[in-house]
Amino acid sequence: MKRIAAALLALMMIFALTACGGNKNGAQNEPDGIVGSYALDCATIDGNDYTHEQLDSYGMADGTFIKFSADGTGEFGLSGEKPESFTYDMATGGITFDSDDTTAIFTVEGGKVTLDYEAAGMTMVFVPDDAADSLSSAGSSAGANAGAGDFFNGITVAATMDDAFAGAGAGAGASSFISPTKTITLGKMWFGTMQVTDSTDNNDYEKDIIASIAAARDGRAFIEVYTDSSMSDDSLQLSMYVNLHNDGFTADIGDKDAWIFSQYLTEADEKYFSPTLKNGALMMTYPYTDKEDGHTCTVTFFLREDGTPWDEQNDPLPPSYDRYKEAIGG
């Protein structure tokens, strides 16, 4: 499930490199003692290591587990997501998920289980449930949003959007701003704003957003946009597969596999979700019509790679931009 990959990749925008004391050397599986339930201790995502303390501080540790049964079956659950069932082979260290037949590799050493989930670019280390006192806590966090805590919580809703997108062409006005982002890299997080304008009920608003551009288990690239950094299902605003290019992406919409808000998108909507980088920014504008009540509005997503500066003269700045700017030392 692509949301499981995306939720853990969200940590990349929160924490800097820290120590994860797990099995990283491909140790042989121990023959006994695998049966049982294990809690997440630490994780390595896109080459960066995160302690349990860091994972827990952002709500990603509690409820994340892996469970092995004696009959060769098991469950993997990520906090906030429905657990996925799998079968495993102790001899080969292979796990096959029942939902889509994708695979992962596990090793067992010193009572710890290390799950190498290559398709999502992450490795997770689990300890037995009764070993909670040994969960890792070393390291410091100094990522772009470290210490923000409720960075995306309690967002102020704008009353009107008359001037919200003045100069929103990412460098449309006279500006010397040059973004360091030249290409789209799979696995990176993006920060930005979602603005809803021209609403038929005059309920225009603006929210901070976080976006993940990552790979599903089958290798297909996707984008998911959330209004909460915990990336909960309730805050998911946009989800679709994409064909990734160095300087942008094109939507790849199939049958009921893409949606905005709670409404499915169709192949005819692909033209609205195929942006090209403009001075490091991605912008998508969609004319939304609710198929049930006829409500219409214009939805615009404006994103920059997390941790990079913004063009304050031309960009539509997110509600929490001042906090973001302070966090990145701008």
Side-chain angles (χ1 to χ4, degrees):
M1 180 184 290
K2 56 187 177 183
R3 288 186 200 169
I4 286 184
L8 279 176
L9 285 167
L11 297 171
M12 294 168 57
M13 71 170 289
I14 305 169
F15 304 117
L17 186 64
T18 54
C20 175
N23 169 23
K24 300 181 181 179
N25 299 314
Q28 295 296 315
N29 287 336
E30 296 175 349
D32 301 315
I34 186 68
V35 175
S37 185
Y38 299 77
L40 181 64
D41 180 18
C42 54
T44 301
I45 305 171
D46 196 34
N48 295 328
D49 298 338
Y50 308 102
T51 67
H52 179 272
E53 184 177 55
Q54 291 171 324
L55 296 168
D56 187 57
S57 70
Y58 223 71
M60 300 298 295
D62 187 28
T64 298
F65 72 93
I66 190 166
K67 181 179 180 180
F68 295 87
S69 300
D71 62 357
T73 64
E75 283 189 327
F76 169 67
L78 181 67
S79 179
E81 295 286 344
K82 181 180 179 181
E84 293 199 38
S85 59
F86 62 78
T87 57
Y88 71 93
D89 187 327
M90 195 66 196
T92 63
I95 282 178
T96 302
F97 291 94
D98 295 338
S99 62
D100 53 13
D101 291 330
T102 54
T103 61
I105 299 296
F106 72 92
T107 54
V108 186
E109 185 179 27
K112 294 184 177 182
V113 174
T114 299
L115 181 66
D116 185 3
Y117 186 20
E118 184 177 355
M122 60 187 175
T123 299
M124 290 168 281
V125 178
F126 297 82
V127 298
D129 282 346
D130 59 3
D133 291 341
S134 66
L135 294 174
S136 64
S137 61
S140 61
S141 59
N145 296 325
D150 60 347
F151 194 74
F152 293 93
N153 296 331
I155 296 171
T156 301
V157 176
T160 62
M161 291 290 121
D162 291 343
D163 300 317
F165 271 80
S175 173
S176 60
F177 176 83
I178 299 177
S179 172
T181 304
K182 306 301 181 185
T183 62
I184 296 178
T185 303
L186 200 64
K188 295 290 186 180
M189 301 303 299
W190 294 69
F191 170 66
T193 180
M194 178 183 74
Q195 297 188 347
V196 175
T197 60
D198 304 321
S199 176
T200 51
D201 60 4
N202 295 317
N203 187 28
D204 295 353
Y205 63 91
E206 176 183 17
K207 290 187 177 182
D208 290 318
I209 53 175
I210 175 178
S212 169
I213 302 177
R217 286 180 179 165
D218 60 4
R220 295 177 68 188
F222 66 88
I223 182 171
E224 290 194 330
V225 178
Y226 299 82
T227 53
D228 190 310
S229 58
S230 67
M231 303 178 80
S232 63
D233 287 351
D234 290 342
S235 73
L236 181 62
Q237 307 297 309
L238 176 70
S239 177
M240 69 178 62
Y241 289 107
V242 298
N243 295 312
L244 189 64
H245 313 293
N246 285 338
D247 62 347
F249 59 79
T250 53
D252 185 12
I253 300 176
D255 182 26
K256 295 184 178 181
D257 64 358
W259 61 91
I260 183 170
F261 302 155
S262 59
Q263 187 165 284
Y264 285 118
L265 294 166
T266 68
E267 187 177 352
D269 297 314
E270 290 183 347
K271 61 184 178 182
Y272 298 107
F273 300 100
S274 299
T276 299
L277 277 174
K278 294 183 178 179
N279 204 1
L282 292 172
M283 186 167 71
M284 299 173 284
T285 300
Y286 179 67
Y288 177 84
T289 299
D290 191 300
K291 295 178 181 178
E292 293 186 358
D293 60 17
H295 171 83
T296 63
C297 62
T298 300
V299 186
T300 303
F301 302 94
F302 190 93
L303 296 158
R304 286 193 179 277
E305 188 175 315
D306 183 64
T308 63
W310 283 57
D311 182 355
E312 296 182 353
Q313 180 173 336
N314 292 301
D315 290 351
L317 302 178
S320 293
Y321 175 72
D322 287 343
R323 296 171 65 188
Y324 171 86
K325 181 179 178 180
E326 181 180 359
I328 66 172

